[in-house]
Amino acid sequence: MEMLVFALLILLFIINVPIAIALAMSAALIFIIQDSVPLLSIMQRMFSSVDSFPLLAIPFFILAGKLMESGGMSKRLIHLANVIFGRMRGGLAVVSIIACAFFAALSGSAAATTAAIGSILIPAMVKKGYDRNFSAAVQATGGTIGIVIPPSVPIILFGVAAGASISDLFIAGIIPGLFIVVSLTILVYVISIIKGYGGGEKYNFKEFLLALKDASLALLMPVIILGGIYGGIFTPTEAALVAVVYGFIVGFIIYREIKIKDLYHIFTSSIQITSVIMFIIVGASVFGSYLTREKIPAQITEFMLGISDNWIVTLLLINLLLLFVGIFLETAAAIIILTPILAPVAQALGMDMVHFGIIMIVNLAIGFITPPVGINLFVASNIAGTKFESLIKAIVPFILVMIVCVLIITFIPALSLYLVR
């Protein structure tokens, strides 16, 4: 039956059934064949999977990101980054990475970060003589920072699935996120030197102060959210609601870039994204309940630990599995399915769940830029007006650097746990 459920899941993926339906249907069919679980219990499981207070943070953070994107925060952050870094070799490429880091601290979404920053910077880079595919690759990879630097929707999902502290996971993502930013910045700088991409305009100190003042409200946003969480003022879910209120006040009242007519699109797009994520959670919960019932996580733990007594080998196998799954499976589904399977393996190795969570998130972030289903590649190629296939060669150096970052984060736990401790 275990082989049959995975065969059904793969078959449904092949015939292009939506992920959420494929996950729920494959497990539900086995339950029906075995006649071991009443259908009513399956429905109750589906509803209970989203009946969670921490999950309320997801729609609010998504809505907050949309408000900030429409409210003019992204372009102010880009201008500030350009004033600081634009003069160096490959300045606009460096600005893309830095701006993604800024916006990641507001949106919590990889695709949203790619779209918000890329819609401004990709055309600007092409206009300045940067290769179109390189510009798209830079932006697609920069967008992955959106799910590592807090707040992050995938981090919330892992925290719920693993029973780990979301506040600790948020703070644990800061140093690894900044480490990835530095690594990608070095890469684009080196490539820009080799390709001869020039710097941007030079700005004086007065212009820097003006740009800093203009972007101050956007920069204050993560300080309020993260400071409030770590200061014990509010929970991550309450922080998400604060982010919505703050984003609306800044965009609608102070910057006045959000109009009444824009609110319909902001709310409907937020609802659509939230619905997709919640639907995947529901489907994955049914599939996960089957795995738990058949004690498959315990079997996998025993199998992986039996391959080698060397913990380094086991960790490399975990990373390899996460990278492989991230290529084909949507991030939310991968987290909900794999966390109950791999968390016992990590615990058997004596790993901290917060550290393991960051390893999983960074691994799955690479899935956003790997073919055939890397969503950031699709977003960036659409903005750049280039073919998806032509991006593959340009994205390879970025994937390699991200893999190196994963390995360093895996084997140096202090990167994730220093601020937590």
Side-chain angles (χ1 to χ4, degrees), residues 252-302:
F252 187 75
I253 298 176
I254 300 177
Y255 289 161
R256 297 184 180 180
E257 296 202 16
I258 297 177
K259 310 300 180 184
I260 293 292
K261 62 180 181 180
D262 299 328
L263 293 178
Y264 176 79
H265 173 71
I266 291 172
F267 280 105
T268 53
S269 60
S270 300
I271 291 170
Q272 289 170 354
I273 296 171
T274 301
S275 300
V276 170
I277 294 174
M278 292 300 180
F279 198 28
I280 290 172
I281 293 173
V282 166
S285 70
V286 178
F287 191 81
S289 66
Y290 173 79
L291 298 180
T292 303
R293 183 182 179 86
E294 299 299 325
K295 299 180 180 179
I296 293 176
Q299 296 175 33
I300 293 176
T301 300
E302 185 178 348

Short mmCIF file of all heavy atoms in Angstrom, two decimals, residues 252-302:
data_model
loop_
_atom_site.label_atom_id
_atom_site.label_comp_id
_atom_site.label_asym_id
_atom_site.label_seq_id
_atom_site.Cartn_x
_atom_site.Cartn_y
_atom_site.Cartn_z
N PHE A 252 -1.39 54.38 2.14
CA PHE A 252 -2.64 55.07 1.81
C PHE A 252 -2.68 56.50 2.34
O PHE A 252 -3.15 57.41 1.65
CB PHE A 252 -3.82 54.28 2.39
CG PHE A 252 -5.17 54.80 1.99
CD1 PHE A 252 -5.67 54.57 0.71
CD2 PHE A 252 -5.94 55.53 2.88
CE1 PHE A 252 -6.92 55.05 0.34
CE2 PHE A 252 -7.19 56.01 2.51
CZ PHE A 252 -7.67 55.77 1.23
N ILE A 253 -2.16 56.71 3.54
CA ILE A 253 -2.28 58.02 4.18
C ILE A 253 -1.02 58.87 4.02
O ILE A 253 -1.10 60.06 3.70
CB ILE A 253 -2.62 57.86 5.68
CG1 ILE A 253 -3.97 57.14 5.83
CG2 ILE A 253 -2.66 59.21 6.38
CD1 ILE A 253 -4.35 56.83 7.27
N ILE A 254 0.17 58.26 4.25
CA ILE A 254 1.41 59.05 4.24
C ILE A 254 1.96 59.20 2.82
O ILE A 254 2.13 60.31 2.32
CB ILE A 254 2.45 58.41 5.18
CG1 ILE A 254 1.91 58.37 6.61
CG2 ILE A 254 3.77 59.19 5.13
CD1 ILE A 254 2.82 57.69 7.61
N TYR A 255 2.27 58.06 2.14
CA TYR A 255 2.79 58.14 0.77
C TYR A 255 1.70 58.46 -0.24
O TYR A 255 1.98 58.99 -1.31
CB TYR A 255 3.46 56.81 0.38
CG TYR A 255 4.76 56.53 1.08
CD1 TYR A 255 5.28 55.24 1.14
CD2 TYR A 255 5.50 57.56 1.68
CE1 TYR A 255 6.48 54.97 1.77
CE2 TYR A 255 6.70 57.29 2.31
CZ TYR A 255 7.18 55.99 2.36
OH TYR A 255 8.38 55.73 2.98
N ARG A 256 0.46 58.09 0.07
CA ARG A 256 -0.72 58.33 -0.79
C ARG A 256 -0.57 57.70 -2.17
O ARG A 256 -1.04 58.24 -3.18
CB ARG A 256 -0.98 59.83 -0.93
CG ARG A 256 -1.31 60.51 0.40
CD ARG A 256 -1.65 61.96 0.23
NE ARG A 256 -1.97 62.58 1.51
CZ ARG A 256 -2.31 63.87 1.65
NH1 ARG A 256 -2.36 64.66 0.58
NH2 ARG A 256 -2.59 64.34 2.84
N GLU A 257 0.07 56.56 -2.23
CA GLU A 257 0.23 55.85 -3.50
C GLU A 257 -0.80 54.75 -3.67
O GLU A 257 -0.97 54.21 -4.77
CB GLU A 257 1.65 55.30 -3.62
CG GLU A 257 2.71 56.39 -3.67
CD GLU A 257 4.00 55.92 -4.31
OE1 GLU A 257 3.99 54.88 -5.00
OE2 GLU A 257 5.03 56.61 -4.13
N ILE A 258 -1.47 54.37 -2.60
CA ILE A 258 -2.57 53.41 -2.69
C ILE A 258 -3.88 54.18 -2.79
O ILE A 258 -4.20 55.00 -1.93
CB ILE A 258 -2.60 52.49 -1.46
CG1 ILE A 258 -1.33 51.65 -1.38
CG2 ILE A 258 -3.82 51.57 -1.52
CD1 ILE A 258 -1.27 50.75 -0.14
N LYS A 259 -4.61 53.94 -3.86
CA LYS A 259 -5.90 54.57 -4.07
C LYS A 259 -7.02 53.60 -3.69
O LYS A 259 -6.81 52.40 -3.58
CB LYS A 259 -6.06 55.00 -5.54
CG LYS A 259 -4.87 55.79 -6.09
CD LYS A 259 -4.63 57.07 -5.32
CE LYS A 259 -3.43 57.84 -5.89
NZ LYS A 259 -3.11 59.04 -5.11
N ILE A 260 -8.20 54.17 -3.51
CA ILE A 260 -9.36 53.34 -3.16
C ILE A 260 -9.56 52.24 -4.19
O ILE A 260 -9.84 51.07 -3.85
CB ILE A 260 -10.62 54.20 -3.04
CG1 ILE A 260 -10.53 55.16 -1.84
CG2 ILE A 260 -11.86 53.32 -2.91
CD1 ILE A 260 -10.55 54.46 -0.50
N LYS A 261 -9.39 52.57 -5.46
CA LYS A 261 -9.62 51.59 -6.53
C LYS A 261 -8.58 50.46 -6.50
O LYS A 261 -8.81 49.38 -7.05
CB LYS A 261 -9.60 52.28 -7.89
CG LYS A 261 -8.26 52.93 -8.23
CD LYS A 261 -8.30 53.59 -9.59
CE LYS A 261 -6.94 54.22 -9.93
NZ LYS A 261 -6.96 54.88 -11.26
N ASP A 262 -7.40 50.71 -5.88
CA ASP A 262 -6.35 49.68 -5.81
C ASP A 262 -6.65 48.61 -4.77
O ASP A 262 -6.11 47.50 -4.84
CB ASP A 262 -4.99 50.33 -5.48
CG ASP A 262 -4.56 51.32 -6.54
OD1 ASP A 262 -4.89 51.10 -7.72
OD2 ASP A 262 -3.88 52.31 -6.18
N LEU A 263 -7.49 48.95 -3.81
CA LEU A 263 -7.72 48.03 -2.69
C LEU A 263 -8.37 46.72 -3.15
O LEU A 263 -8.07 45.66 -2.60
CB LEU A 263 -8.60 48.70 -1.63
CG LEU A 263 -7.95 49.89 -0.88
CD1 LEU A 263 -8.93 50.50 0.10
CD2 LEU A 263 -6.69 49.42 -0.14
N TYR A 264 -9.24 46.79 -4.14
CA TYR A 264 -9.90 45.57 -4.63
C TYR A 264 -8.86 44.57 -5.15
O TYR A 264 -8.90 43.39 -4.78
CB TYR A 264 -10.89 45.92 -5.74
CG TYR A 264 -11.53 44.69 -6.38
CD1 TYR A 264 -12.58 44.04 -5.74
CD2 TYR A 264 -11.07 44.19 -7.59
CE1 TYR A 264 -13.17 42.91 -6.30
CE2 TYR A 264 -11.64 43.06 -8.15
CZ TYR A 264 -12.70 42.43 -7.51
OH TYR A 264 -13.25 41.31 -8.07
N HIS A 265 -7.93 45.05 -5.96
CA HIS A 265 -6.89 44.17 -6.50
C HIS A 265 -5.97 43.66 -5.39
O HIS A 265 -5.59 42.48 -5.38
CB HIS A 265 -6.06 44.91 -7.55
CG HIS A 265 -4.88 44.12 -8.03
ND1 HIS A 265 -4.99 43.01 -8.83
CD2 HIS A 265 -3.54 44.28 -7.78
CE1 HIS A 265 -3.79 42.51 -9.07
NE2 HIS A 265 -2.90 43.26 -8.45
N ILE A 266 -5.63 44.52 -4.45
CA ILE A 266 -4.74 44.13 -3.34
C ILE A 266 -5.38 43.01 -2.53
O ILE A 266 -4.74 41.99 -2.22
CB ILE A 266 -4.43 45.34 -2.45
CG1 ILE A 266 -3.53 46.34 -3.20
CG2 ILE A 266 -3.76 44.90 -1.15
CD1 ILE A 266 -3.33 47.65 -2.47
N PHE A 267 -6.66 43.18 -2.20
CA PHE A 267 -7.34 42.18 -1.37
C PHE A 267 -7.59 40.88 -2.14
O PHE A 267 -7.38 39.79 -1.60
CB PHE A 267 -8.66 42.73 -0.83
CG PHE A 267 -8.49 43.63 0.37
CD1 PHE A 267 -8.61 45.00 0.27
CD2 PHE A 267 -8.20 43.09 1.62
CE1 PHE A 267 -8.45 45.82 1.36
CE2 PHE A 267 -8.03 43.90 2.73
CZ PHE A 267 -8.15 45.27 2.60
N THR A 268 -8.04 40.98 -3.38
CA THR A 268 -8.34 39.76 -4.14
C THR A 268 -7.08 38.95 -4.43
O THR A 268 -7.10 37.71 -4.34
CB THR A 268 -9.04 40.09 -5.47
OG1 THR A 268 -8.27 41.07 -6.20
CG2 THR A 268 -10.44 40.63 -5.23
N SER A 269 -5.97 39.62 -4.78
CA SER A 269 -4.73 38.88 -5.04
C SER A 269 -4.20 38.24 -3.77
O SER A 269 -3.67 37.11 -3.80
CB SER A 269 -3.67 39.82 -5.64
OG SER A 269 -3.37 40.89 -4.76
N SER A 270 -4.36 38.92 -2.64
CA SER A 270 -3.94 38.33 -1.35
C SER A 270 -4.79 37.11 -1.02
O SER A 270 -4.26 36.10 -0.52
CB SER A 270 -4.06 39.37 -0.24
OG SER A 270 -3.25 40.49 -0.48
N ILE A 271 -6.09 37.20 -1.28
CA ILE A 271 -6.99 36.07 -1.01
C ILE A 271 -6.62 34.88 -1.90
O ILE A 271 -6.60 33.72 -1.44
CB ILE A 271 -8.46 36.48 -1.25
CG1 ILE A 271 -8.90 37.47 -0.17
CG2 ILE A 271 -9.37 35.26 -1.26
CD1 ILE A 271 -10.23 38.13 -0.45
N GLN A 272 -6.31 35.13 -3.16
CA GLN A 272 -5.96 34.05 -4.08
C GLN A 272 -4.69 33.32 -3.62
O GLN A 272 -4.65 32.08 -3.60
CB GLN A 272 -5.76 34.61 -5.49
CG GLN A 272 -7.06 35.05 -6.15
CD GLN A 272 -6.83 35.82 -7.43
OE1 GLN A 272 -5.70 36.14 -7.78
NE2 GLN A 272 -7.90 36.14 -8.13
N ILE A 273 -3.66 34.08 -3.24
CA ILE A 273 -2.40 33.47 -2.80
C ILE A 273 -2.63 32.68 -1.51
O ILE A 273 -2.16 31.55 -1.36
CB ILE A 273 -1.33 34.55 -2.59
CG1 ILE A 273 -0.99 35.23 -3.92
CG2 ILE A 273 -0.06 33.94 -1.99
CD1 ILE A 273 -0.10 36.44 -3.78
N THR A 274 -3.38 33.27 -0.57
CA THR A 274 -3.66 32.60 0.69
C THR A 274 -4.45 31.30 0.46
O THR A 274 -4.17 30.27 1.08
CB THR A 274 -4.47 33.52 1.62
OG1 THR A 274 -3.73 34.72 1.86
CG2 THR A 274 -4.76 32.84 2.96
N SER A 275 -5.42 31.36 -0.44
CA SER A 275 -6.25 30.18 -0.72
C SER A 275 -5.41 29.03 -1.25
O SER A 275 -5.61 27.87 -0.86
CB SER A 275 -7.36 30.53 -1.72
OG SER A 275 -8.19 31.54 -1.22
N VAL A 276 -4.48 29.34 -2.14
CA VAL A 276 -3.61 28.31 -2.70
C VAL A 276 -2.79 27.64 -1.60
O VAL A 276 -2.70 26.41 -1.51
CB VAL A 276 -2.68 28.90 -3.79
CG1 VAL A 276 -1.62 27.88 -4.19
CG2 VAL A 276 -3.49 29.33 -5.01
N ILE A 277 -2.19 28.46 -0.72
CA ILE A 277 -1.36 27.92 0.35
C ILE A 277 -2.19 27.07 1.31
O ILE A 277 -1.81 25.95 1.68
CB ILE A 277 -0.67 29.07 1.12
CG1 ILE A 277 0.34 29.78 0.21
CG2 ILE A 277 0.04 28.53 2.37
CD1 ILE A 277 0.95 31.02 0.82
N MET A 278 -3.36 27.57 1.70
CA MET A 278 -4.20 26.83 2.64
C MET A 278 -4.72 25.53 2.02
O MET A 278 -4.84 24.51 2.69
CB MET A 278 -5.38 27.71 3.08
CG MET A 278 -4.97 28.89 3.93
SD MET A 278 -4.13 28.38 5.46
CE MET A 278 -3.79 29.98 6.21
N PHE A 279 -5.05 25.58 0.73
CA PHE A 279 -5.53 24.38 0.04
C PHE A 279 -4.44 23.31 0.01
O PHE A 279 -4.71 22.12 0.19
CB PHE A 279 -5.96 24.75 -1.38
CG PHE A 279 -6.84 23.73 -2.03
CD1 PHE A 279 -7.66 22.90 -1.29
CD2 PHE A 279 -6.85 23.60 -3.41
CE1 PHE A 279 -8.48 21.96 -1.90
CE2 PHE A 279 -7.66 22.66 -4.03
CZ PHE A 279 -8.48 21.83 -3.27
N ILE A 280 -3.20 23.74 -0.19
CA ILE A 280 -2.07 22.80 -0.18
C ILE A 280 -1.90 22.20 1.22
O ILE A 280 -1.65 20.99 1.37
CB ILE A 280 -0.78 23.50 -0.64
CG1 ILE A 280 -0.86 23.80 -2.15
CG2 ILE A 280 0.45 22.62 -0.36
CD1 ILE A 280 0.27 24.64 -2.67
N ILE A 281 -2.04 23.03 2.25
CA ILE A 281 -1.92 22.54 3.62
C ILE A 281 -2.98 21.47 3.90
O ILE A 281 -2.71 20.43 4.50
CB ILE A 281 -2.06 23.71 4.63
CG1 ILE A 281 -0.86 24.65 4.51
CG2 ILE A 281 -2.16 23.17 6.06
CD1 ILE A 281 -1.00 25.91 5.33
N VAL A 282 -4.21 21.73 3.43
CA VAL A 282 -5.31 20.78 3.63
C VAL A 282 -4.99 19.45 2.94
O VAL A 282 -5.12 18.37 3.54
CB VAL A 282 -6.62 21.37 3.09
CG1 VAL A 282 -7.69 20.29 2.97
CG2 VAL A 282 -7.12 22.48 4.00
N GLY A 283 -4.57 19.51 1.67
CA GLY A 283 -4.25 18.30 0.93
C GLY A 283 -3.09 17.55 1.54
O GLY A 283 -3.11 16.31 1.68
N ALA A 284 -2.05 18.31 1.94
CA ALA A 284 -0.86 17.68 2.51
C ALA A 284 -1.16 17.05 3.87
O ALA A 284 -0.53 16.07 4.26
CB ALA A 284 0.25 18.71 2.65
N SER A 285 -2.14 17.61 4.59
CA SER A 285 -2.48 17.05 5.91
C SER A 285 -3.07 15.65 5.77
O SER A 285 -2.82 14.78 6.61
CB SER A 285 -3.45 17.97 6.64
OG SER A 285 -4.73 17.95 6.03
N VAL A 286 -3.88 15.44 4.73
CA VAL A 286 -4.46 14.11 4.50
C VAL A 286 -3.36 13.12 4.15
O VAL A 286 -3.30 12.00 4.67
CB VAL A 286 -5.51 14.16 3.37
CG1 VAL A 286 -6.08 12.76 3.10
CG2 VAL A 286 -6.63 15.12 3.72
N PHE A 287 -2.46 13.55 3.26
CA PHE A 287 -1.34 12.69 2.87
C PHE A 287 -0.46 12.41 4.08
O PHE A 287 -0.01 11.28 4.29
CB PHE A 287 -0.54 13.36 1.76
CG PHE A 287 0.46 12.46 1.10
CD1 PHE A 287 0.08 11.56 0.11
CD2 PHE A 287 1.80 12.51 1.46
CE1 PHE A 287 0.99 10.73 -0.50
CE2 PHE A 287 2.73 11.68 0.86
CZ PHE A 287 2.32 10.79 -0.13
N GLY A 288 -0.21 13.44 4.87
CA GLY A 288 0.62 13.28 6.05
C GLY A 288 0.00 12.36 7.08
O GLY A 288 0.71 11.61 7.78
N SER A 289 -1.32 12.40 7.20
CA SER A 289 -2.00 11.51 8.16
C SER A 289 -1.83 10.05 7.76
O SER A 289 -1.70 9.17 8.63
CB SER A 289 -3.48 11.87 8.26
OG SER A 289 -4.15 11.61 7.04
N TYR A 290 -1.81 9.79 6.44
CA TYR A 290 -1.58 8.41 5.98
C TYR A 290 -0.16 7.97 6.33
O TYR A 290 0.06 6.86 6.81
CB TYR A 290 -1.81 8.29 4.47
CG TYR A 290 -1.42 6.93 3.94
CD1 TYR A 290 -2.25 5.84 4.10
CD2 TYR A 290 -0.18 6.73 3.32
CE1 TYR A 290 -1.89 4.58 3.65
CE2 TYR A 290 0.20 5.48 2.87
CZ TYR A 290 -0.66 4.40 3.03
OH TYR A 290 -0.28 3.16 2.60
N LEU A 291 0.81 8.87 6.06
CA LEU A 291 2.21 8.53 6.36
C LEU A 291 2.39 8.22 7.84
O LEU A 291 3.07 7.26 8.22
CB LEU A 291 3.13 9.69 5.95
CG LEU A 291 3.16 10.07 4.47
CD1 LEU A 291 4.13 11.23 4.26
CD2 LEU A 291 3.57 8.88 3.61
N THR A 292 1.76 9.05 8.68
CA THR A 292 1.88 8.84 10.13
C THR A 292 1.21 7.53 10.55
O THR A 292 1.74 6.79 11.39
CB THR A 292 1.24 10.02 10.89
OG1 THR A 292 1.87 11.23 10.46
CG2 THR A 292 1.41 9.87 12.39
N ARG A 293 0.03 7.26 9.99
CA ARG A 293 -0.72 6.05 10.34
C ARG A 293 0.07 4.79 10.02
O ARG A 293 0.04 3.80 10.76
CB ARG A 293 -2.05 6.05 9.58
CG ARG A 293 -2.96 4.88 9.92
CD ARG A 293 -4.23 4.94 9.09
NE ARG A 293 -5.11 3.82 9.38
CZ ARG A 293 -5.99 3.76 10.36
NH1 ARG A 293 -6.11 4.79 11.18
NH2 ARG A 293 -6.74 2.70 10.54
N GLU A 294 0.80 4.82 8.89
CA GLU A 294 1.58 3.66 8.46
C GLU A 294 3.00 3.67 9.02
O GLU A 294 3.83 2.84 8.64
CB GLU A 294 1.63 3.61 6.92
CG GLU A 294 0.27 3.47 6.26
CD GLU A 294 -0.44 2.19 6.65
OE1 GLU A 294 0.25 1.16 6.83
OE2 GLU A 294 -1.68 2.22 6.79
N LYS A 295 3.30 4.66 9.88
CA LYS A 295 4.60 4.79 10.54
C LYS A 295 5.76 4.89 9.52
O LYS A 295 6.86 4.40 9.76
CB LYS A 295 4.84 3.60 11.48
CG LYS A 295 3.81 3.49 12.58
CD LYS A 295 4.08 2.31 13.49
CE LYS A 295 3.03 2.22 14.60
NZ LYS A 295 3.25 1.07 15.50
N ILE A 296 5.47 5.55 8.41
CA ILE A 296 6.49 5.72 7.38
C ILE A 296 7.63 6.63 7.84
O ILE A 296 8.80 6.36 7.54
CB ILE A 296 5.85 6.24 6.07
CG1 ILE A 296 4.93 5.14 5.50
CG2 ILE A 296 6.91 6.62 5.05
CD1 ILE A 296 4.18 5.54 4.26
N PRO A 297 7.34 7.73 8.58
CA PRO A 297 8.46 8.55 9.08
C PRO A 297 9.46 7.75 9.91
O PRO A 297 10.68 7.93 9.78
CB PRO A 297 7.75 9.61 9.93
CG PRO A 297 6.40 9.74 9.32
CD PRO A 297 6.04 8.36 8.87
N ALA A 298 8.96 6.85 10.75
CA ALA A 298 9.85 6.03 11.58
C ALA A 298 10.68 5.08 10.71
O ALA A 298 11.87 4.86 10.97
CB ALA A 298 9.04 5.23 12.59
N GLN A 299 10.05 4.54 9.66
CA GLN A 299 10.77 3.64 8.76
C GLN A 299 11.87 4.38 8.00
O GLN A 299 12.98 3.86 7.83
CB GLN A 299 9.78 3.01 7.77
CG GLN A 299 8.75 2.10 8.41
CD GLN A 299 7.72 1.61 7.40
OE1 GLN A 299 8.05 1.40 6.23
NE2 GLN A 299 6.48 1.44 7.84
N ILE A 300 11.54 5.60 7.57
CA ILE A 300 12.53 6.40 6.83
C ILE A 300 13.68 6.80 7.75
O ILE A 300 14.85 6.80 7.35
CB ILE A 300 11.87 7.63 6.20
CG1 ILE A 300 10.89 7.19 5.10
CG2 ILE A 300 12.91 8.59 5.62
CD1 ILE A 300 10.11 8.31 4.47
N THR A 301 13.35 7.16 9.00
CA THR A 301 14.39 7.50 9.97
C THR A 301 15.35 6.34 10.17
O THR A 301 16.58 6.50 10.14
CB THR A 301 13.75 7.88 11.32
OG1 THR A 301 12.90 9.00 11.13
CG2 THR A 301 14.82 8.23 12.34
N GLU A 302 14.78 5.15 10.36
CA GLU A 302 15.59 3.96 10.56
C GLU A 302 16.44 3.66 9.33
O GLU A 302 17.62 3.30 9.44
CB GLU A 302 14.68 2.77 10.86
CG GLU A 302 15.42 1.48 11.19
CD GLU A 302 14.48 0.34 11.52
OE1 GLU A 302 13.27 0.60 11.70
OE2 GLU A 302 14.94 -0.82 11.57
#
